[in-house]
Amino acid sequence: MQYNPGWNDSSVNLLHVRAAGPGDSLHYVWSSIGAPAVLLVATQSPSSALRVNWTQLLSPSPAGAIWIEPPDSVVYSTAVVFTKLFEFSEAKPSGELFYPTYDLSEFSWDSLNHTLNRTALTAELSGVPATDPGGGFSNGSLAFRVTAYEASGRDGRLPGLLHTADSSQLEFILAGVAPRGNGSRFVLEVATVEEAGAARRLRSERSIDDEYTPTIFEVLSLVAESQNGSSSLGFLQWKATAYGSRSPRREDGIRCRAQALRAANWTLPVSSIVQAYFGESLGSSCTVSALNVSFGGEEGQVYQEKRYLSWSVLLGFGQPPRDTFSPLVISIAAVALGTPLAMLLLGSCLVLLAQRRRYSEYEPIN
């Protein structure tokens, strides 16, 4: 983990997380310069390095300020930008009432250096609107908590996402933010940037297994695929739930819905690391898509009562991890299904044996 590599000023945030393998390396670049965003780059070189021209990055024209050396080692790059936070209430009978939008590119962000833990591989980016006329953030904040991993495993807190060493987890947190209406619901807008040859698709998978996330049977994945669909290049993955507690339990669940993925026909807000890396191709050959993730519903009062909301999403390269039944569940299912079957077979054998013995007592006539 590197914080602002090559720059000593903590008034801006750039966190570089690098994972090196025997023949390749992966780069995650998180930043709050402009709208909060993460740049993901996979390379074929185990010694590839991030380079930043800070003077250019912080200028009005940042294109070309971020690159990977050697440049020809890059095999895939993408970006995810968290652009806006919407708030609305389903006021009846007038229908939905939208409040002024929180533009995340206009937030003031605390220094990541205060929360950076290189041992646990975690960091938290926390911010508030630069101007807050309504006072909703007077006692609250919006945060993105980043966790990197050195090995495969499962997060110990709900929703218990399965991860690999190639992935990182992001937790979106609203804490203490005052809702502007009764039964307010929040919507986070997420934009993705793909270079030519790749496209994003939203997948939904349902399973009868809710062992690790009780009562939640749906997993959603925003997968980047090659144009012919032959391979998955990267992904965002999450369970269809958020939570209304710092120590989440099943009863703290808040419904999470994803709207249809759409082409973004608007210009990305100023997000310097995205513009700095993709440069002029951002407005020409790159594809920008957007997705809205909403929190709340019938159980929307959870946030009203606790003023806390957390949503966890996994980001990574290749195919998203797939959950399987644990050995304990397989054993229980085997016993539950195998015992009646064994009793049925044993009973059938006893009946057949009893019938043979019954008829063997008689001698054939003639």
Side-chain angles (χ1 to χ4, degrees):
M1 278 184 157
Q2 296 176 295
Y3 176 68
N4 288 353
W7 189 255
N8 294 323
D9 189 350
S10 61
S11 62
V12 295
N13 291 307
L14 189 146
L15 177 67
H16 176 219
V17 182
R18 179 176 174 270
D24 56 8
S25 57
L26 308 174
H27 300 265
Y28 292 84
V29 185
W30 305 85
S31 178
S32 63
I33 303 173
V38 56
L39 175 67
L40 297 87
V41 184
T43 73
Q44 291 178 321
S45 169
S47 58
S48 61
L50 175 74
R51 297 290 182 253
V52 182
N53 182 330
W54 282 96
T55 303
Q56 187 176 354
L57 177 62
L58 300 177
S59 72
S61 302
I66 293 178
W67 68 98
I68 298 292
E69 285 187 353
D72 57 359
S73 68
V74 176
V75 293
Y76 173 65
S77 55
T78 184
V80 180
V81 188
F82 302 92
T83 53
K84 296 176 182 178
L85 180 69
F86 302 100
E87 181 184 352
F88 71 95
S89 63
E90 295 181 323
K92 297 181 179 180
S94 58
E96 294 179 348
L97 172 63
F98 278 84
Y99 298 97
T101 302
Y102 293 116
D103 189 336
L104 301 190
S105 66
E106 299 176 356
F107 270 47
S108 174
W109 301 95
D110 295 338
S111 173
L112 261 176
N113 202 30
H114 301 318
T115 60
L116 184 59
N117 186 328
R118 290 182 171 84
T119 303
L121 300 179
T122 59
E124 184 171 316
L125 181 66
S126 179
V128 296
T131 58
D132 186 21
F137 279 79
S138 57
N139 294 312
S141 65
L142 179 152
F144 295 95
R145 182 178 298 154
V146 178
T147 304
Y149 299 106
E150 292 182 312
S152 298
R154 186 180 299 278
D155 191 63
R157 300 168 66 248
L158 288 176
L161 294 175
L162 181 67
H163 63 258
T164 66
D166 296 343
S167 59
S168 294
Q169 180 170 294
L170 177 72
E171 188 177 359
F172 166 71
I173 301 170
L174 272 184
V177 178
R180 290 173 284 186
N182 294 325
S184 279
R185 293 170 60 181
F186 292 96
V187 179
L188 178 65
E189 184 180 67
V190 182
T192 63
V193 179
E194 293 294 334
E195 290 184 306
R200 289 275 177 175
R201 291 178 177 83
L202 181 63
R203 297 178 184 173
S204 174
E205 294 185 6
R206 293 183 178 273
S207 169
I208 62 171
D209 183 18
D210 70 337
E211 176 184 5
Y212 302 106
T213 313
T215 74
I216 304 301
F217 302 94
E218 184 180 13
V219 179
L220 296 108
S221 302
L222 188 57
V223 182
E225 299 177 342
S226 56
Q227 283 188 338
N228 57 12
S230 61
S231 61
S232 296
L233 304 172
F235 65 87
L236 278 76
Q237 184 185 63
W238 65 94
K239 297 286 185 77
T241 185
Y243 290 95
S245 171
R246 297 180 187 274
S247 301
R249 300 167 297 171
R250 180 183 61 82
E251 54 268 29
D252 298 320
I254 299 174
R255 181 174 297 182
C256 170
R257 292 189 180 95
Q259 299 178 10
L261 183 67
R262 66 190 189 281
N265 55 5
W266 35 261
T267 303
L268 276 176
V270 178
S271 179
S272 292
I273 65 164
V274 177
Q275 295 170 342
Y277 181 82
F278 291 99
E280 299 301 326
S281 63
L282 188 60
S284 55
S285 59
C286 289
T287 301
V288 181
S289 304
L291 175 79
N292 284 351
V293 181
S294 65
F295 310 100
E298 293 82 356
E299 67 287 80
Q301 295 300 318
V302 173
Y303 182 80
Q304 298 281 345
E305 295 170 0
K306 300 188 177 182
R307 300 285 177 91
Y308 191 87
L309 183 151
S310 69
W311 172 63
S312 298
V313 57
L314 194 72
L315 302 93
F317 298 88
Q319 285 277 7
R322 299 193 67 175
D323 260 325
T324 57
F325 291 103
S326 70
L328 176 62
V329 170
I330 294 174
S331 302
I332 293 173
V335 171
L337 297 175
T339 302
L341 181 61
M343 293 178 65
L344 179 61
L345 291 174
L346 180 62
S348 300
C349 292
L350 292 174
V351 169
L352 291 174
L353 183 61
Q355 287 179 341
R356 287 189 62 186
R357 288 182 175 178
R358 177 182 176 185
Y359 290 111
S360 66
E361 294 174 359
Y362 296 91
E363 294 292 331
I365 299 176
N366 189 21

